[in-house]
Amino acid sequence: MPVTSESEIRVRFLETDPAGILHFAHYGNYIDVGKNDFFRRLLGRPRKPGDEGVSTVLVQTTFEYKIPARFDDLLIVETKLDFVKNTSFGFDFEIHKKDTDTVVCRAKAVYVCLSLETNRPTAVPESIRKVFEASP
């Protein structure tokens, strides 16, 4: 599936350790920005919690760190739809330095759709499925 989006993020001082290196805990925030921008590109806005009575719950993430990102680096978070199943969907992320295109980190995330009524997994809403399938 060729659906992608790109988000630009500058590493802030408060996200770094004393050596000026981006702390690993912030990469989760960066891929969340990527996911929200992905939905903004396809839906015209981020997906809101509880849209259509369904919440999307993050159930798995994996990160593969390549090189450190440092204070004031300008990063691009490239977000690609990886798969859509009955109750879940997944993204692949690549974070790279904008000026050199050097890969800093690769990540994967899996989300499960949860019914707010039953608190159980439920089908990916048709509106999301249609947007995924109709995108360029």
Side-chain angles (χ1 to χ4, degrees):
M1 294 176 207
V3 182
T4 64
S5 73
E6 290 188 352
S7 308
E8 192 173 278
I9 300 174
R10 187 172 298 274
V11 178
R12 300 177 303 167
F13 181 75
L14 66 90
E15 298 169 326
T16 63
D17 64 15
I21 295 172
L22 177 64
H23 191 275
F24 73 90
H26 295 285
Y27 285 91
N29 296 331
Y30 287 13
I31 67 170
D32 189 58
V33 168
K35 175 197 62 130
N36 287 332
D37 286 349
F38 181 91
F39 279 112
R40 184 178 286 110
R41 177 177 169 228
L42 296 180
L43 298 173
R45 64 172 176 81
R47 178 163 163 64
K48 296 177 184 170
D51 277 357
E52 302 174 74
V54 174
S55 182
T56 52
V57 179
L58 178 65
V59 296
Q60 181 180 21
T61 55
T62 58
F63 293 91
E64 181 183 355
Y65 303 101
K66 298 296 189 179
I67 64 166
R70 298 181 182 277
F71 169 66
D72 208 39
D73 279 350
L74 191 55
L75 304 176
I76 301 295
V77 179
E78 185 177 323
T79 305
K80 295 180 184 176
L81 180 64
D82 182 29
F83 68 86
V84 181
K85 294 184 179 177
N86 184 39
T87 62
S88 65
F89 56 90
F91 291 109
D92 287 329
F93 303 90
E94 183 177 278
I95 301 173
H96 59 269
K97 294 186 179 188
K98 183 175 183 177
D99 59 347
T100 64
D101 214 31
T102 305
V103 175
V104 172
C105 177
R106 289 192 177 97
K108 290 183 168 289
V110 176
Y111 298 84
V112 170
C113 293
L114 198 67
S115 166
L116 295 179
E117 202 173 291
T118 65
N119 209 28
R120 307 271 310 154
T122 191
V124 173
E126 199 58 35
S127 61
I128 293 177
R129 222 175 258 288
K130 286 180 183 175
V131 168
F132 285 164
E133 292 168 0
S135 59

